[in-house]
Amino acid sequence: MGLKDTRYVSVEEMLATFLFIVGQNSRYIQAQDRFKRSRFSISTSFHTILKVLNALAPSYMAKPETTVPPKIRDSTRFYPYFKDCVGAIDGTHILAMISGKDSSSYRNRKGQLSQNVLAACNFDLEFIYVLSGWEGSAHDAKVLQDALTRNFNRLQVPEGKFYLVDCGYANHRNFLAPFRSTRYHLQDFKGQGKDPVNQNELFNHRHSSLRNVIERIFGIFKSRFLIFKSAPPFPYKTQAKLVLACVVLHNYLRKECRSDVFPEEVVVADDNESDVQEIGEDENMDDDVQNGTQEQQRVNANNWRANIAATMWTDAMHMGS
């Protein structure tokens, strides 16, 4: 990106300063003591790296796989039912520091000030897409609609592929949602006598097992970058840029430092999982009045999901599991 050492500060020290702040949730005054620099120097280094990482973001996002992901291909629980799935999508709330009369729109359902961050990831725990900056009160489906229609940084789903989503989104050919009013979360199936008892429950159980990757990546992300454990003390636009910058670092580490593993039992699932705001079956992903084409698309998507569930159940019965 053309970044060069200054007279007194090397590029490596600039990056180290940024990592010290986002990785340890350190304040400028702590960085001043650690690097023996002035507040101005620390701030300059931080914002220089922030700008560079945001510029690098498009080239560091993972590309959706064109072949069947190994996690699906190598499991009879998932293959061939989810063979065209490229990953999972969900929103997560990042605590935000907001002041002024507009703060109410950033208050989420838990009463906290936050930004609602939409993310898509693959099954190798890499981010494919991230959209930060939406108010905490925004519904996940509304953020997804923005991601699909915006002029810059638009989410594009490869032809014939789909993502797994939860009940916060409408079922769609590109976004496969679970059956509503049916057991879904993995903990609902734990314990004796809690195995799936029909095709919808079996579908939901396997869907949840596969979609859990998005909860896992959120858990890793927040465990790795401790600055998001509390509201970052920066202007809101900077807070939104911080998310994207740390996503770049996460993807870089996944590719270049694979020994940096977060054991599954250590990473706590993202706390949004149990707080899903369901979207009604008759709601669309935009605010327009439904027309015949949209309704037919919904019917087709629901039929497609039902056929997957029926085939999955038949195969499970034949296998005796």
Side-chain angles (χ1 to χ4, degrees):
M1 301 301 296
L3 191 58
K4 297 179 180 179
D5 299 345
T6 67
R7 182 176 180 182
Y8 298 108
V9 184
S10 67
V11 171
E12 289 81 3
E13 184 180 326
M14 294 179 200
L15 178 59
T17 301
F18 184 87
L19 295 175
F20 181 70
I21 292 171
V22 301
Q24 303 297 324
N25 194 17
S26 302
R27 297 297 183 257
Y28 278 0
I29 191 169
Q30 294 168 298
Q32 287 176 247
D33 180 65
R34 173 65 180 82
F35 295 97
K36 308 304 179 188
R37 300 292 183 188
S38 67
R39 180 181 177 84
F40 176 80
S41 177
I42 294 297
S43 177
T44 300
S45 293
F46 179 85
H47 286 281
T48 297
I49 296 299
L50 179 66
K51 181 179 180 180
V52 168
L53 288 175
N54 272 258
L56 285 171
S59 60
Y60 270 87
M61 290 297 174
K63 301 295 186 291
E65 294 191 54
T66 56
T67 57
V68 181
K71 184 177 179 66
I72 296 174
R73 183 193 63 213
D74 299 338
S75 173
T76 56
R77 298 175 62 222
F78 304 134
Y79 186 88
Y81 323 107
F82 300 106
K83 62 182 177 64
D84 293 321
C85 180
V86 292
I89 284 180
D90 202 1
T92 189
H93 286 270
I94 301 289
L95 295 176
M97 187 171 290
I98 306 291
S99 59
K101 60 182 180 180
D102 295 332
S103 62
S104 59
S105 64
Y106 292 87
R107 198 169 297 280
N108 60 34
R109 297 177 68 207
K110 294 183 177 180
Q112 300 169 318
L113 295 177
S114 68
Q115 56 169 310
N116 190 350
V117 178
L118 178 76
C121 74
N122 60 24
F123 298 107
D124 200 27
L125 293 169
E126 296 172 327
F127 287 103
I128 296 175
Y129 177 88
V130 170
L131 177 60
S132 60
W134 267 87
E135 302 95 326
S137 62
H139 194 292
D140 287 348
K142 184 176 182 180
V143 183
L144 176 59
Q145 179 63 19
D146 176 45
L148 292 169
T149 56
R150 60 195 293 113
N151 293 325
F152 175 73
N153 187 29
R154 180 182 298 180
L155 171 64
Q156 297 181 332
V157 184
E159 183 72 26
K161 301 294 185 179
F162 64 88
Y163 287 95
L164 299 177
V165 297
D166 64 21
C167 289
Y169 305 90
N171 190 47
H172 188 273
R173 187 58 183 82
N174 293 134
F175 306 102
L176 182 60
F179 291 98
R180 293 181 174 83
S181 303
T182 304
R183 286 190 295 165
Y184 179 67
H185 295 299
L186 294 179
Q187 60 264 30
D188 296 337
F189 296 94
K190 290 183 178 179
Q192 188 174 1
K194 291 190 175 182
D195 292 338
V197 298
N198 56 48
Q199 64 186 42
N200 287 11
E201 287 195 353
L202 180 63
F203 175 90
N204 276 13
H205 183 232
R206 294 185 181 180
H207 183 288
S208 181
S209 298
L210 203 53
R211 195 195 67 86
N212 189 56
V213 67
I214 191 71
E215 309 295 346
R216 182 159 156 69
I217 199 172
F218 286 151
I220 292 173
F221 185 75
K222 292 177 182 180
S223 296
R224 171 174 273 152
F225 301 108
L226 298 183
I227 194 168
F228 300 122
K229 291 294 184 181
S230 58
F234 297 100
Y236 188 72
K237 287 186 177 180
T238 301
Q239 295 177 54
K241 291 177 180 178
L242 260 176
V243 174
L244 195 58
C246 291
V247 163
V248 172
L249 291 172
H250 171 91
N251 277 5
Y252 175 83
L253 289 169
R254 285 298 296 169
K255 291 181 181 298
E256 305 294 338
C257 190
R258 294 308 294 263
S259 61
D260 185 16
V261 175
F262 286 75
E264 190 158 1
E265 63 272 15
V266 172
V267 178
V268 179
D270 187 61
D271 58 10
N272 293 337
E273 184 175 356
S274 59
D275 190 37
V276 176
Q277 183 180 358
E278 293 192 4
I279 184 171
E281 286 285 4
D282 58 343
E283 291 184 55
N284 209 320
M285 292 171 60
D286 55 32
D287 295 325
D288 297 334
V289 177
Q290 277 192 334
N291 58 40
T293 301
Q294 292 168 332
E295 179 61 26
Q296 188 58 49
Q297 289 176 346
R298 181 64 53 78
V299 170
N300 291 342
N302 288 343
N303 289 339
W304 166 58
R305 179 178 61 186
N307 288 335
I308 294 175
T311 302
M312 188 183 293
W313 181 255
T314 299
D315 292 345
M317 292 301 98
H318 288 163
M319 294 175 62
S321 61

